Amino acid sequence: MRHFTSITQLGDLKNALMAAKYVKENPYADKALGENKTALLVFFNNSLRTRLSTQKAALNLGMNVIVLDVNQGAWKLETERGVIMDGDKSEHLLEAIPVMASYCDVIGVRSFARFESKEDDYNEVILNQFIQHSGKPVFSMEAATRHPLQTFADLITIEEYKKTTRPKVVLTWAPHPKALPQAVPNSFAEGLNMTGYDFVIANPEGYDLAPEFVGNARVTHNQDEALEGADFVYAKNWSAYEGDNYGKVLNQDRSWTISSEKMALTNNAFFMHCLPVRRNMIVTDDVIEAPTSLVIPEAANRVVSAQTVLKMILEDNK
């Protein structure tokens, strides 16, 4: 694996989950693999779990780690070609990327959707510039359309907690005060389509995801119907994808908040969320604090997912 921008690049999912299990049980077994190698983690957006887990993963593999906050610790970067740089941007990404690459062996990039252009977002303009101009292996720490490290951690968590070989997994939209990208739900749907699980997506009308990510999932606009008999409930907000509504908040319907009443419709389901979470918007206190809440072990598995991916990249790019 040269680059990692989609969960599908892991190849056979069963083998990837077995590799993750090995990493979790033997976190320091491959320290020699990253010796004298440097991982550069470039953040265009805020982060807690991704920053800490990816840095920990790289250290577990014996790597040196450099973390760059583009908007706080560097020159402001221009990302568009043909722009007259007479504003507040002092450096162009086309010079910055090869300079960054000269200091490292692997580059992780975190760059959210901007909602300025659906075409630019879904073409992953910033992430792909790193792939095109760095000459180094690049992995996504969340991009405009996908968050594959999160999805891998989600799949690892479901594998660990599932009580049946084909659980029912529900991805449900939930309200939020801000316009959020589709990256996490897109990526989660992409990953679940690799599993063969009973997969349902529930969202209000106007919030359907892009068809290429929905895949074979059943889609419903009735949340209660979707939750019936569910074994896992993954709650997440996302803004509208379709047409002129792209990136907009169409409603904040609190009836979609995951509550104990909603969870009572399930098969004593586990609750999942990528975090950070808006309590009593996305999910009520009692649900996220219940014994069936997996948000903490899910977050802990972010180290495992990042380390497994970095290990694959290092092994394949010696």
Side-chain angles (χ1 to χ4, degrees):
M1 181 167 64
R2 175 69 175 174
H3 305 295
F4 181 68
T5 62
S6 165
I7 191 73
T8 60
Q9 291 164 326
L10 290 175
D12 182 83
L13 183 58
K14 183 178 180 180
N15 289 340
L17 291 171
M18 288 177 61
K21 186 174 186 292
Y22 172 84
V23 164
K24 189 166 186 175
E25 293 173 351
N26 305 276
Y28 308 113
D30 298 289
K31 287 185 74 72
L33 190 60
E35 186 177 9
N36 298 324
K37 301 285 186 181
T38 298
L40 171 62
L41 310 182
V42 183
F43 291 88
F44 288 84
N45 300 97
N46 294 338
S47 177
L48 189 153
R49 276 147 298 278
T50 299
R51 178 191 301 264
L52 298 180
S53 63
T54 310
Q55 187 167 357
K56 173 65 174 171
L59 292 171
N60 285 355
L61 289 168
M63 302 185 76
N64 302 310
V65 183
I66 302 172
V67 178
L68 176 65
D69 287 301
V70 170
N71 295 320
Q72 296 181 19
W75 301 110
K76 289 188 177 180
L77 295 176
E78 179 57 65
T79 61
E80 302 295 329
R81 280 183 175 275
V83 173
I84 297 174
M85 292 175 59
D86 60 354
D88 64 344
K89 307 288 179 61
S90 302
E91 186 163 7
H92 202 287
L93 203 60
L94 294 179
E95 285 79 59
I97 289 173
V99 169
M100 293 180 200
S102 71
Y103 304 144
C104 67
D105 301 280
V106 181
I107 304 176
V109 180
R110 184 174 177 90
S111 179
F112 293 174
R114 297 180 175 183
F115 295 141
E116 295 171 359
S117 165
K118 182 171 163 180
E119 182 180 6
D120 284 353
D121 287 344
Y122 273 70
N123 284 329
E124 295 289 6
V125 170
I126 291 178
L127 180 63
N128 283 327
Q129 284 189 71
F130 275 88
I131 292 172
Q132 182 179 355
H133 299 295
S134 70
K136 298 293 172 68
V138 174
F139 66 97
S140 170
M141 300 189 298
E142 187 173 359
T145 60
R146 293 176 173 91
H147 194 350
L149 290 178
Q150 177 64 53
T151 298
F152 193 18
D154 296 335
L155 294 176
I156 293 166
T157 305
I158 292 172
E159 179 71 13
E160 291 175 337
Y161 285 88
K162 69 181 184 182
K163 299 175 182 177
T164 178
T165 55
R166 191 173 184 267
K168 180 179 180 181
V169 181
V170 177
L171 168 64
T172 178
W173 181 94
H176 194 282
K178 294 183 178 181
L180 297 186
Q182 299 98 31
V184 170
N186 280 349
S187 198
F188 185 77
E190 190 170 52
L192 263 291
N193 273 296
M194 297 170 65
T195 65
Y197 297 158
D198 182 7
F199 180 42
V200 182
I201 302 175
N203 56 262
E205 292 187 11
Y207 280 99
D208 288 354
L209 296 171
E212 61 264 33
F213 293 108
V214 172
N216 297 321
R218 290 184 288 126
V219 179
T220 177
H221 298 144
N222 186 324
Q223 187 188 52
D224 290 355
E225 176 187 273
L227 293 173
E228 290 180 5
D231 298 296
F232 293 88
V233 174
Y234 198 109
K236 184 70 180 77
N237 175 266
W238 61 88
S239 59
Y241 165 77
E242 298 174 323
D244 293 337
N245 287 324
Y246 176 68
K248 294 181 180 178
V249 176
L250 304 182
N251 72 56
Q252 296 181 19
D253 186 351
R254 298 291 182 88
S255 71
W256 283 74
T257 298
I258 297 298
S259 63
S260 56
E261 290 77 16
K262 295 284 187 178
M263 294 297 285
L265 299 171
T266 72
N267 183 28
N268 194 30
F270 291 107
F271 174 80
M272 301 179 70
H273 189 279
C274 60
L275 300 181
V277 66
R278 298 269 184 151
R279 283 182 175 229
N280 301 306
M281 284 287 293
I282 299 289
V283 59
T284 57
D285 290 329
D286 54 343
V287 172
I288 198 170
E289 294 173 7
T292 48
S293 173
L294 299 182
V295 296
I296 303 305
E298 185 183 357
N301 277 333
R302 290 294 308 278
V303 177
V304 182
S305 69
Q307 188 168 337
T308 305
V309 167
L310 277 170
K311 181 183 175 185
M312 291 178 178
I313 289 173
L314 290 172
E315 288 175 338
D316 292 347
N317 295 276
K318 289 182 180 179

